Amino acid sequence: MGFMDEAISEALKSLEAGGIPIGSVLVHNNKVIGRGHNQRIQKESAILHGEMDALENAGRQPAAVYQKSVLYTTLSPCPMCSGAILLYKIPHVVIGENVNYMGDEELLEARGVKVEVLQDERCIEMMNDFIKSNSSLWNEDIGV
Amino acid sequence: MGFMDEAISEALKSLEAGGIPIGSVLVHNNKVIGRGHNQRIQKESAILHGEMDALENAGRQPAAVYQKSVLYTTLSPCPMCSGAILLYKIPHVVIGENVNYMGDEELLEARGVKVEVLQDERCIEMMNDFIKSNSSLWNEDIGV
């Protein structure tokens, strides 16, 4: 299973639990060191987006680890998650899609992060379906 | 007690618990709706900076609440916490000091956030003392 597949599987875990289907994995030396998904519903959390949950689940890592890691995430990272990427100087982010939401990709690139967008049809469809039926919850998640 | 005093009292709570002395309060309609402090040591957390902890403890709030709130924090907000401020469009941040660490204040201002820096001597001394005796822990907290 590829790393984007693992991020999608995290997103589906969230969906099955009644949550927002966004998932992420943090990869170091070709191994997943943290995985997570949006926890707004499940933990009533205002800060546990998929990327933040993956970072939290990776635990406290030395700077050198983050600086050689790749973050895979099903959706374009919002300003908060982009900021976390910048804080820890994660050099490379692979994004499932940015059709349903465009995060702070320009800022990431301006600061030297390699940003790859797959426009994966599974990610696009999953998020599109969710937003259609849960627009107010989705708006809450992105501060709208 | 002023709101910066409340943020400092959160920082001191963290210090007493063996943690990093950075504290924050989120204020809406002149009332604290969330308070928190750095939880790197206490919860082995990579994401609970003071500002993030205060946001998390405020719970899920409607966009309209964040957009009329003020965040008080003892230290200049790092890229992650600045990103959270931008995500939720918090319009005004009051910062204890930026002598010991300069966060993403320029980005905040460029995006229309009002940034006030108090250079409060208590905040400067507290952080300076901590960094002197805990430099590797401090570096970990800011991804260095």
Side-chain angles (χ1 to χ4, degrees):
Chain A
M1 192 156 74
F3 294 126
M4 185 53 68
D5 301 319
E6 300 223 37
I8 292 172
S9 127
E10 279 295 319
L12 291 172
K13 238 189 261 177
S14 182
L15 193 65
E16 281 156 29
I20 302 177
I22 305 171
S24 307
V25 294
L26 185 66
V27 174
H28 180 251
N29 280 347
N30 232 31
K31 277 187 191 153
V32 174
I33 60 168
R35 60 182 72 235
H37 52 257
N38 191 297
Q39 301 276 10
R40 180 169 295 274
I41 301 298
Q42 297 93 318
K43 296 190 176 171
E44 291 287 326
S45 175
I47 63 168
L48 286 172
H49 279 185
E51 299 90 328
M52 304 297 287
D53 195 41
L55 281 169
E56 186 69 332
N57 291 335
R60 291 169 54 189
Q61 298 288 342
V65 168
Y66 296 116
Q67 289 168 21
K68 292 199 167 175
S69 291
V70 184
L71 184 68
Y72 289 77
T73 183
T74 57
L75 184 66
S76 185
C78 83
M80 172 177 66
C81 299
S82 298
I85 290 161
L86 294 173
L87 168 63
Y88 287 120
K89 303 182 187 69
I90 297 170
H92 185 186
V93 181
V94 182
I95 296 171
E97 63 114 344
N98 63 14
V99 175
N100 288 293
Y101 174 75
M102 173 57 90
D104 238 336
E105 294 177 18
E106 272 189 25
L107 178 69
L108 289 173
E109 285 183 328
R111 297 208 184 165
V113 177
K114 180 177 171 191
V115 174
E116 251 179 289
V117 183
L118 307 182
Q119 305 299 26
D120 183 303
E121 287 300 334
R122 296 166 298 172
C123 297
I124 295 174
E125 194 184 335
M126 176 171 68
M127 207 58 219
N128 183 48
D129 288 352
F130 181 83
I131 292 173
K132 264 194 212 155
S133 339
N134 302 274
S135 63
S136 71
L137 180 55
W138 170 240
N139 283 339
E140 181 192 322
D141 204 53
I142 53 171
V144 173
Chain B
M1 192 156 72
F3 294 125
M4 185 52 69
D5 300 319
E6 300 222 38
I8 292 173
S9 126
E10 280 295 319
L12 292 173
K13 237 189 262 178
S14 182
L15 192 63
E16 282 157 28
I20 302 178
I22 305 172
S24 307
V25 294
L26 184 65
V27 174
H28 181 250
N29 279 346
N30 232 32
K31 276 185 193 155
V32 174
I33 59 168
R35 61 183 72 237
H37 52 258
N38 191 296
Q39 301 274 11
R40 180 168 296 273
I41 301 299
Q42 298 93 316
K43 296 189 176 171
E44 291 288 326
S45 175
I47 64 168
L48 287 171
H49 278 184
E51 299 89 330
M52 303 298 288
D53 194 42
L55 282 169
E56 186 69 334
N57 291 334
R60 291 170 53 189
Q61 298 288 342
V65 168
Y66 296 116
Q67 289 169 21
K68 292 200 168 174
S69 290
V70 184
L71 183 69
Y72 289 77
T73 183
T74 57
L75 185 65
S76 185
C78 83
M80 171 177 67
C81 298
S82 297
I85 291 161
L86 294 173
L87 168 64
Y88 287 121
K89 303 183 187 70
I90 297 170
H92 185 185
V93 181
V94 182
I95 296 170
E97 62 113 346
N98 63 15
V99 175
N100 288 294
Y101 174 75
M102 173 58 89
D104 239 337
E105 294 177 18
E106 272 189 26
L107 178 69
L108 290 173
E109 285 182 328
R111 297 210 183 163
V113 177
K114 181 176 171 192
V115 174
E116 252 179 288
V117 184
L118 306 181
Q119 305 299 26
D120 183 302
E121 287 298 332
R122 296 166 298 173
C123 296
I124 296 174
E125 196 184 334
M126 176 170 67
M127 207 56 218
N128 183 48
D129 288 351
F130 182 82
I131 292 173
K132 264 194 214 157
S133 339
N134 302 274
S135 63
S136 69
L137 181 55
W138 169 239
N139 283 339
E140 181 192 322
D141 204 52
I142 54 171
V144 172

